[in-house]
Amino acid sequence: MSDPALPPLQIADVQRTVAGELERIGPVIDELGARFADAGHELALVGGPVRDAMLGRLQNDLDFTTSARPEVTEKLVRGWADAIWDLGRAFGTIGCRKGPWQVEITTYRSETYDPSSRKPDVDYGDNLAGDLGRRDFTVNAMAMSLPGRTFEDPFGGVVDLAARVLRTPGTPESSFSDDPLRMMRAARFAAQLGFTVAPEVVAAMTDMAERITIVSAERVRDELVKLVEAPWPRRGLTLLVETGLAAYVLPELPALALERDEHHRHKDVYQHTLTVLEQSIELEDRLDGGGPDFVSRFAALMHDVGKPKTRRFVDDGTVTFHHHDVVGAKLTRKRMQALRFSNDTIDAVAKLVELHLRFHGYGTGEWTDSAVRRYVRDAGDQLTRLHVLTRADCTTRNKRKAERLRRTYDDLEARIARLSEQEELASIRPDLDGTQIMEILDLPPGPVVGEAYRFLLELRMEEGPQPYDAARDALLTWWAARSAE
């Protein structure tokens, strides 16, 4: 998925797109606007929904800003909304659902960071212009006052949107001082929307990159996930690296730019990694849920992070990266723990990183059925993602070599499919269960039964399914040898 070169938007096209979107969401915004106006309060559709309406990105999440305080907002939506929640009350936000629409209504506000704080201080504002002025980018600082549907654009957001450029309403230094996470959001929006980031914004991101360290790991993680799941993550990741932000939030990525890939000397491992990420995205239709798939993408991004620590120069001038898969899995686990990912997500990504080289021992198909079974067993529930990562990890420009690797992996997948059909590989178990083991060996439950179970599992991996009598005889032979030790 190549970096986008999107043409500028035409204002007339934007206006037509907005008109169509307003017809779709009209029943919600007009009713809600009337309720607030009747109570003497201002209400405006704001931020992302206004921007996305202009881009034709239809959505059911609607954000509003209002002069009403949260307790008043809650009263005004009660009886109108199908459900109400107030988890964001501390930040001035009341959430609710109306039919298919998810609604968030936030009191006019300004928020700033104390230099030593990880959380923003929230102060209520008293007018729409002030609220828009504290937003991250001009394309998110547009609003539509309700119920009259008056378009508000004090910072030229529609012009920047048409030009597909990200600028800040005020100086970027002031914006990023207020909330350093906005630097991450610049990269995320570049990846999501295909926008260019204005030079002065890039300069401020570069100068202020270290400021990201005061933001909580959870907030950084959430932005990183959105960036990686975006249509053009390479654009956002490149911006993080070039501005120095990646050195603080994902330092393993810029470290790759220092390494040369031993198989592809025309590019460094950093560029190879970004290409693998893009190729993994192109293969997401192979996954059960399709895409975007964070685990698959992040594994592609991290698969070679062990190379800097394992680089060795050989006397003949070649470079090796022995065991970078194992080292990379450990580094991946450590980084994801620091970013507060769930254990399940960490385990999935780390497993893929650790196994990403396993296929290369397959040669031209020399693996035994036993080796194929072990490949499936070790991959476990990540087998399909491992197929994607392994295929994506071929970035050679040698078409003959690339075709050979593709055919070889086709053969491996076909063998897995055949064995799976014959042997139920996804749930490989010994031919005898624990109860049968205890009956045959006359044993009570305990560690020895576990030993016998593992012996039979290895036998199953090596020789495939066995009839009961053969499995029993093998177990008895093993037991006799163990007892004689």
Side-chain angles (χ1 to χ4, degrees), residues 70-129:
E71 61 273 13
V72 175
T73 295
E74 187 173 12
K75 291 179 181 178
L76 289 175
V77 297
R78 194 170 301 281
W80 173 81
D82 300 324
I84 301 173
W85 52 90
D86 66 350
L87 295 178
R89 183 185 291 272
F91 297 97
T93 300
I94 298 296
C96 62
R97 177 176 56 81
K98 176 68 171 178
W101 285 279
Q102 300 292 322
V103 173
E104 286 194 349
I105 307 171
T106 303
T107 304
Y108 294 153
R109 66 186 185 183
S110 61
E111 60 184 37
T112 58
Y113 267 85
D114 180 271
S116 60
S117 173
R118 287 183 174 270
K119 294 183 179 180
D121 297 321
V122 177
D123 295 318
Y124 292 133
D126 56 11
N127 62 79
L128 177 59

Side-chain angles (χ1 to χ4, degrees), residues 196-252:
T196 298
V197 181
E200 69 274 13
V201 177
V202 173
M205 292 170 66
T206 304
D207 292 341
M208 303 176 67
E210 187 179 5
R211 184 103 166 112
I212 196 68
T213 58
I214 73 165
V215 180
S216 70
E218 291 83 359
R219 296 184 77 212
V220 170
R221 175 203 63 208
D222 291 347
E223 285 299 323
L224 185 61
V225 169
K226 292 173 184 176
L227 189 161
V228 171
E229 291 183 343
W232 302 289
R234 185 175 194 142
R235 174 168 285 207
L237 292 166
T238 299
L239 184 61
L240 291 182
V241 171
E242 292 179 348
T243 58
L245 277 163
Y248 298 101
V249 301
L250 195 64
E252 295 78 9

Side-chain angles (χ1 to χ4, degrees), residues 354-386:
E354 185 169 358
L355 294 177
H356 82 273
L357 289 181
R358 185 73 64 86
F359 160 72
H360 294 286
Y362 188 67
T364 56
E366 293 87 353
W367 276 3
T368 62
D369 284 352
S370 171
V372 175
R373 293 186 194 104
R374 292 178 190 280
Y375 186 80
V376 174
R377 180 194 64 181
D378 292 348
D381 60 0
Q382 299 305 314
L383 180 62
T384 304
R385 286 184 174 125
L386 183 58

